[in-house]
Structures are given as C-alpha cells and as structure tokens.
Amino acid sequence: MKNKVHPYHYSEDKNITQRLIDFGVPLILFWLYFQFYNFGKVSPQEMVKTTGLMSVALLSLTLLIGPACRFFPTLDVLKAHRKFWGILSFFVALSHAILIYIFYVNYNLAKLFNPASPKYLGLLAGLASLLILSAVTLTSNKLALNSLSPKIWKIVQSTAYLALILAVLHFYLVESVNGVLVIKRVVGQITFGFAAFVVIVRIVTMILPTLLKSNLIEAKKS
C-alpha cells in the first residue's frame, strides 16, 4: 500500500476542493482589488498597485495560518494551502517589481535606486523582501527539504516573516508623504492593517511561549 504523504505540505495529495480553494482565494483577491482599488481600470499605475497589495495580502494570509492553528486547531485544514499561496505571493511580488522597472523607471536601475529619491529606502526594503521570498520559494520543494537539514530548512522558511515585515515597511515608506502614511483607498488601508496585524500576531506567538516558560519556572521555584 502506498504511503500517504502529509496533505498539509505536498500538492499531489490535494483533492479537487482544495485545488479550487488554492486558485479561488487569489482570484477573489484580485477581483476585489481590481474592482474596489482600481475601480475596474487597467493601467500600468493601477496594476502596480494591485500586484503590490495582492502580494502583501497573500503573504499575510499564508503566514497567519500557522499561528491561527495554534489557537484554533480546527483550522489545520488551511495548512494545505500555505505552500501554494506563499509561492504565488512571490510571483505576484516579482510581477510588481517588473512592472515598476518597466513603467516607473523605464528600465533604468540607476533611477530606481537613487539615494536622493525620497522612495529610496522604501524601494530597498521592497527589494530585500523580494530576495528573501525568492530564497523561501526556491527551498519550498521536496528536493530542498531532503537536501537541507530540518533546522536549516525551517530557518530559511521562517524568514518569510522577515519578508513580510520588510514588505510592510516598503508599503509604509513608499506611501508616506513627509513621514505620514497616506492610504486614500479603504482596500489599501485594510491590506496594510491586516499585514501589520499578522506581524504583531507572529511576534506575540514567538514571545508568549518564552514568557509562559519563564513564569512556570518561577512558579516552581516559589
């Protein structure tokens, strides 16, 4: 009898419903941004915004699943979609970067990374986020899983949280005017708020076990 591969990690174990969810959630997100952020318009500027927001939203959703399952084990079924959505968030982010390179700076890297530009730090944060996501994506396969030690593989995958933090920083710096974040459209505000919420949740889930362990040790001593 063929051994069943863990359904939360490998796509070949997914049923039709899971595959529909894989594609359905990103398509719904794209439709929401297209309708309520772009207002149905197709232009380079709007598509740059849409791909950026969609990438942040997908990555945030992917990274929220793990912490959420700790508190609500019934959500474990969502783990089947983390890999697909995480990898897709990278390719959407890559599309975002390519669109910026083509339409905003006209293939001029010097113009893109100009230290005199007020967007310089924001662009660096975005590039760093993309590079980290590329490393996470390249190791999101069974070959990398079998080649790397479990500890190293987990460390690389965990850097996705750093990628999200840098993406939020990119969002903040690029959309700020004189140091003040300006997001006029509600969908953009929701996306930024959701991403910031996921970052906070992750920090809490990292700190909480340590605090509980310290309190338990103190209680035993007393």
Side-chain angles (χ1 to χ4, degrees), residues 130-199:
L130 183 63
L131 291 175
I132 292 172
L133 277 182
S134 67
V136 174
T137 300
L138 288 172
T139 55
S140 296
N141 55 74
K142 285 192 281 188
L143 178 62
L145 182 62
N146 295 329
S147 301
L148 300 172
S149 70
K151 183 177 180 180
I152 296 298
W153 185 85
K154 187 174 182 180
I155 289 174
V156 173
Q157 293 295 305
S158 297
T159 59
Y161 289 99
L162 177 58
L164 179 59
I165 292 173
L166 288 169
V168 171
L169 181 61
H170 165 73
F171 197 150
Y172 177 83
L173 293 173
V174 170
E175 296 296 329
S176 293
V177 178
N178 296 323
V180 178
L181 180 63
V182 179
I183 307 175
K184 296 180 180 179
R185 301 177 188 180
V186 175
V187 178
Q189 295 171 2
I190 293 173
T191 302
F192 182 82
F194 178 55
F197 169 75
V198 173
V199 170

Side-chain angles (χ1 to χ4, degrees), residues 3-216:
N3 292 330
K4 183 174 178 59
V5 185
H6 198 299
Y8 296 153
H9 295 284
Y10 303 117
S11 60
E12 57 263 32
D13 292 316
K14 291 182 181 178
N15 56 38
I16 294 176
T17 301
Q18 289 173 320
R19 292 183 185 279
L20 287 174
I21 293 173
D22 270 350
F23 289 97
V25 169
L27 286 173
I28 290 171
L29 278 175
F30 180 80
W31 181 83
L32 287 172
Y33 286 122
F34 185 71
Q35 292 295 327
F36 300 104
Y37 194 89
N38 292 8
F39 301 115
K41 297 178 181 178
V42 178
S43 69
Q45 182 178 3
E46 297 298 341
M47 294 312 296
V48 165
K49 297 284 186 179
T50 295
T51 51
L53 290 169
M54 185 173 171
S55 175
V56 170
L58 272 176
L59 182 59
S60 300
L61 179 61
T62 301
L63 297 180
L64 181 61
I65 291 173
C69 290
R70 292 188 184 183
F71 299 101
F72 306 101
T74 54
L75 296 178
D76 274 356
V77 292
L78 294 177
K79 290 180 178 179
H81 309 288
R82 287 192 300 184
K83 179 181 175 181
F84 184 85
W85 292 341
I87 292 175
L88 185 59
S89 72
F90 163 72
F91 284 107
V92 177
L94 182 61
S95 301
H96 175 68
I98 292 172
L99 288 171
I100 290 175
Y101 180 61
I102 295 172
F103 295 107
Y104 272 62
V105 299
N106 297 317
Y107 306 96
N108 187 346
L109 281 176
K111 182 179 178 182
L112 183 62
F113 297 107
N114 179 10
S117 170
K119 308 293 184 183
Y120 177 64
L121 293 178
L123 291 170
L124 284 182
L127 177 60
S129 178
L130 183 63
L131 291 175
I132 292 172
L133 277 182
S134 67
V136 174
T137 300
L138 288 172
T139 55
S140 296
N141 55 74
K142 285 192 281 188
L143 178 62
L145 182 62
N146 295 329
S147 301
L148 300 172
S149 70
K151 183 177 180 180
I152 296 298
W153 185 85
K154 187 174 182 180
I155 289 174
V156 173
Q157 293 295 305
S158 297
T159 59
Y161 289 99
L162 177 58
L164 179 59
I165 292 173
L166 288 169
V168 171
L169 181 61
H170 165 73
F171 197 150
Y172 177 83
L173 293 173
V174 170
E175 296 296 329
S176 293
V177 178
N178 296 323
V180 178
L181 180 63
V182 179
I183 307 175
K184 296 180 180 179
R185 301 177 188 180
V186 175
V187 178
Q189 295 171 2
I190 293 173
T191 302
F192 182 82
F194 178 55
F197 169 75
V198 173
V199 170
I200 293 171
V201 168
R202 177 56 181 169
I203 292 173
V204 170
T205 55
M206 288 176 62
I207 295 175
L208 190 59
T210 304
L211 291 177
L212 291 175
K213 185 177 180 180
S214 299
N215 290 336
L216 183 60

